[in-house]
Amino acid sequence: TQAAEFTSLIDKKTKTEFAWQGNPDVWAGRNPTLFPVVGKVWQEKYRFNGQEFSLGNHGFARKSEFSLAAQTPTSLTLVLENSPATQAVYPFKFRLTNHYQLEKNTLKVTLTVENLDQVELPFSLGAHPAFNCPLLSGEKFTDYKIVFSQRENLTRLLMSSDSSFQEKRLNFGQQVQEIPLTRELFAQDALVFENLESSSVK
């Protein structure tokens, strides 16, 4: 399956679709897995053992075909392993597993990376799920907020036009637990925070 991403998440009782449907006029993506990098490497190039490699934005997993490893009525396990195509841009042996498990009204997603070689495996791993907002008729984007599991002293990393991080950091707020959503909040691209204490966000 392409990118091992779910494309629909519907509440059967209310028929509410939670998952973003990939409107290309806004963003054609849906729920890509980011591997082996989150974001970009500098100028999309890096060197390993004296050889230069090119690696695009967010890596290759989001455009790769995963294989089905296991399936039950309530779960799916999808796997991506190194291949000649991946080793041309990322010369490492790995196994990336996406496991989806339905438990009552909850979808649990577990991402696992295994090193299949004797050398150190450099990687970063990210989930990039997209959800509809607002969800219900009559609601507005500004009716929503981000809620951390505990209060945070927020330091925001700022991005340059080439998507690299600036040295400058922005003090986003002290003892913050909720961030009300506005369109202007994302005028400088994604919200990226350093050193969060929270183990969850909703």
Side-chain angles (χ1 to χ4, degrees), residues 19-190:
W20 171 251
Q21 293 300 293
N23 180 351
D25 293 336
V26 182
W27 181 57
R30 294 192 180 193
N31 174 39
T33 300
L34 313 185
F35 175 87
V37 292
V38 177
K40 288 185 177 181
V41 293
W42 178 248
Q43 296 182 337
E44 298 191 354
K45 297 183 184 298
Y46 69 98
R47 298 187 70 82
F48 177 74
N49 281 348
Q51 185 176 352
E52 185 173 270
F53 296 88
S54 296
L55 191 59
N57 186 38
H58 291 321
F60 51 76
R62 67 195 182 105
K63 296 180 180 178
S64 296
E65 192 79 13
F66 283 62
S67 60
L68 178 63
Q71 181 176 3
T72 75
T74 58
S75 71
L76 276 177
T77 303
L78 302 163
V79 172
L80 176 67
E81 292 191 3
N82 59 279
S83 66
T86 68
Q87 291 195 289
V89 296
Y90 181 67
F92 303 96
K93 296 179 181 178
F94 68 90
R95 180 184 295 117
L96 170 61
T97 303
N98 288 23
H99 180 72
Y100 296 94
Q101 179 72 49
L102 276 174
E103 295 182 5
K104 296 184 179 180
N105 64 343
T106 300
L107 175 64
K108 292 190 175 182
V109 182
T110 304
L111 308 180
T112 306
V113 177
E114 298 172 77
N115 186 353
L116 303 182
D117 209 340
Q118 300 303 310
V119 300
E120 186 175 0
L121 184 71
F123 72 91
S124 53
L125 176 67
H128 197 311
F131 301 100
N132 289 321
C133 185
L135 283 168
L136 303 177
S137 176
E139 294 180 337
K140 303 184 298 296
F141 184 74
T142 50
D143 291 333
Y144 288 75
K145 57 190 175 184
I146 299 168
V147 183
F148 296 99
S149 60
Q150 55 186 288
R151 293 190 177 276
E152 299 282 356
N153 296 326
L154 294 176
T155 301
R156 182 180 180 182
L157 283 71
L158 300 175
M159 282 188 272
S160 300
S161 58
D162 63 358
S163 297
S164 63
F165 288 122
Q166 302 175 21
E167 289 187 20
K168 178 183 177 182
R169 302 290 193 264
L170 177 67
N171 182 355
F172 198 80
Q174 302 295 305
Q175 294 297 296
V176 174
Q177 192 158 14
E178 298 182 356
I179 302 176
L181 290 188
T182 65
R183 300 291 181 186
E184 293 73 26
L185 191 62
F186 302 97
Q188 293 179 296
D189 209 314

